[in-house]
Amino acid sequence: PQEMPLLPRTLKPLETTGVQPVNGETAPEKLLEIYKRIAVVAPQGMGKTSLLLYLAEKMHKEYLPVTVPLRRWTDDSMRPKPLFDFMLEQARQYARKLTAKTLEKYLKSGKCLLLLDGADEVEGDGVRLVMIGEISKLCEKFPRLLIAVSCRGSSYCHEIPGFKRFALQPLEENQVPLFIGLWFEESNPARGEALVKRLRVEDSLRDMAGNPLMLSIMASLWQGHENEKERPRRVEFFDRLVEMLLDKWEGNKNIQPRFSPDQKRLILRKL
């Protein structure tokens, strides 16, 4: 599947006290450097994983980015390996000769960017406690380490002490055409321009376009209709949305599904 374009995003504090962004700053990379530890909270499809990838790309010249899918780290057993060891494995995918000693130097110097994806996807109270303990140990041992953790609900991130919680905001209106332009850049730019025009006149679709997952489904459907004048029907959009949420999302997250796609649809019909 086509990767979601990486764009700058806006964060707003969830706490009513104790978090006053310096000079009204809302850029994730700046907030991370200010607070050192931030939790990014947003519903499914808002682009939390994409934001972490954006941070890795934006900040890699000054920091060593290490991305940890928390579900994958904790999937192996009730007692996952130390988080540091898993970080080293992840970092070695891009820096094969990286040693534990060198990684520790990055952590101590504050030149490492740890990106923890999906705190809400860690299942089981015991494993969750292990996760919180491992993150807390890293924070205590390496006070200069920058850490961003993503989660679907604020309650999950609230369990991890010392993190400032921010809500990931929808794509801004001027970012929607940019997103679409990047999506169609190598395939059919004219088709992308046609989608932008449609969003300007169709309120119901425009309202959903601030959600990156919704917008990517629109772009994918629009891309699949080769006739310039052909417009995907609304029912196609919602069928594709259901397919994405039921069939593909868990696979993209490397999550072992509990139910087959047909079982999920059967459950939904009964609700």
Side-chain angles (χ1 to χ4, degrees), residues 147-217:
I147 307 178
V149 58
S150 73
C151 48
R152 198 179 306 175
S154 61
S155 59
Y156 292 102
C157 293
H158 192 66
E159 297 174 1
I160 308 173
F163 281 71
K164 302 295 185 184
R165 296 181 300 161
F166 293 87
L168 179 58
Q169 301 302 295
L171 291 171
E172 297 177 9
E173 187 174 348
N174 63 350
Q175 288 184 307
V176 172
L178 180 58
F179 183 105
I180 294 172
L182 291 171
W183 184 282
F184 286 91
E185 187 174 29
E186 296 183 2
S187 57
N188 190 340
R191 194 66 174 147
E193 292 173 7
L195 175 56
V196 171
K197 290 179 181 178
R198 182 177 179 184
L199 290 176
R200 288 173 182 160
V201 299
E202 191 153 344
D203 293 343
S204 60
L205 291 180
R206 186 170 63 249
D207 291 342
M208 291 187 289
N211 182 302
L213 175 61
M214 301 288 194
L215 186 55
S216 65
I217 293 173

Side-chain angles (χ1 to χ4, degrees), residues 215-235:
L215 186 55
S216 65
I217 293 173
M218 294 181 206
S220 177
L221 278 173
W222 202 266
Q223 196 171 34
H225 289 259
E226 295 182 0
N227 188 329
E228 291 293 329
K229 297 182 179 180
E230 188 176 4
R231 296 182 176 187
R233 295 173 298 150
R234 190 183 302 271
V235 68

Side-chain angles (χ1 to χ4, degrees), residues 28-250:
E29 61 272 23
K30 298 298 183 183
L31 292 171
L32 188 52
E33 290 182 326
I34 292 169
Y35 295 107
K36 307 296 183 187
R37 314 280 155 74
I38 67 171
V40 178
V41 180
Q44 183 173 325
M46 280 295 290
K48 298 181 294 296
T49 300
S50 295
L51 173 65
L52 297 187
L53 294 174
Y54 168 81
L55 287 172
E57 184 178 275
K58 181 77 173 178
M59 304 175 74
H60 78 276
K61 291 183 179 179
E62 295 184 45
Y63 302 91
L64 172 68
V66 180
T67 302
V68 173
L70 289 170
R71 178 65 180 262
R72 196 184 307 165
W73 167 53
T74 58
D75 255 354
D76 294 339
S77 66
M78 287 297 293
R79 184 73 191 182
K81 66 183 67 176
L83 182 53
F84 178 89
D85 293 350
F86 191 77
M87 288 173 58
L88 183 59
E89 291 179 8
Q90 290 294 109
R92 279 177 173 166
Q93 294 180 15
Y94 308 99
R96 295 183 180 180
K97 295 183 179 181
L98 185 69
T99 65
K101 187 175 182 180
T102 302
L103 177 58
E104 189 164 348
K105 287 182 179 179
Y106 275 104
L107 299 178
K108 286 181 178 178
S109 66
K111 289 299 181 181
C112 181
L113 171 60
L114 178 56
L115 303 166
L116 304 173
D117 192 21
D120 55 285
E121 296 168 13
V122 176
E123 296 184 341
D125 292 340
V127 180
R128 290 187 60 76
L129 287 174
V130 171
M131 175 191 73
I132 294 169
E134 286 287 316
I135 295 174
S136 298
K137 281 195 297 185
L138 281 178
C139 292
E140 184 177 347
K141 186 174 181 180
F142 306 108
R144 300 176 67 185
L145 171 63
L146 303 187
I147 307 178
V149 58
S150 73
C151 48
R152 198 179 306 175
S154 61
S155 59
Y156 292 102
C157 293
H158 192 66
E159 297 174 1
I160 308 173
F163 281 71
K164 302 295 185 184
R165 296 181 300 161
F166 293 87
L168 179 58
Q169 301 302 295
L171 291 171
E172 297 177 9
E173 187 174 348
N174 63 350
Q175 288 184 307
V176 172
L178 180 58
F179 183 105
I180 294 172
L182 291 171
W183 184 282
F184 286 91
E185 187 174 29
E186 296 183 2
S187 57
N188 190 340
R191 194 66 174 147
E193 292 173 7
L195 175 56
V196 171
K197 290 179 181 178
R198 182 177 179 184
L199 290 176
R200 288 173 182 160
V201 299
E202 191 153 344
D203 293 343
S204 60
L205 291 180
R206 186 170 63 249
D207 291 342
M208 291 187 289
N211 182 302
L213 175 61
M214 301 288 194
L215 186 55
S216 65
I217 293 173
M218 294 181 206
S220 177
L221 278 173
W222 202 266
Q223 196 171 34
H225 289 259
E226 295 182 0
N227 188 329
E228 291 293 329
K229 297 182 179 180
E230 188 176 4
R231 296 182 176 187
R233 295 173 298 150
R234 190 183 302 271
V235 68
E236 289 183 84
F237 170 76
F238 288 106
D239 280 346
R240 182 67 64 88
L241 176 60
V242 170
E243 178 189 2
M244 177 72 72
L245 296 180
L246 293 186
D247 303 354
K248 298 180 179 178
W249 182 83
E250 288 176 327

Side-chain angles (χ1 to χ4, degrees), residues 12-28:
K12 290 188 178 180
L14 281 172
E15 284 86 359
T16 56
T17 59
V19 180
Q20 296 298 327
V22 177
N23 297 325
E25 186 59 69
T26 59

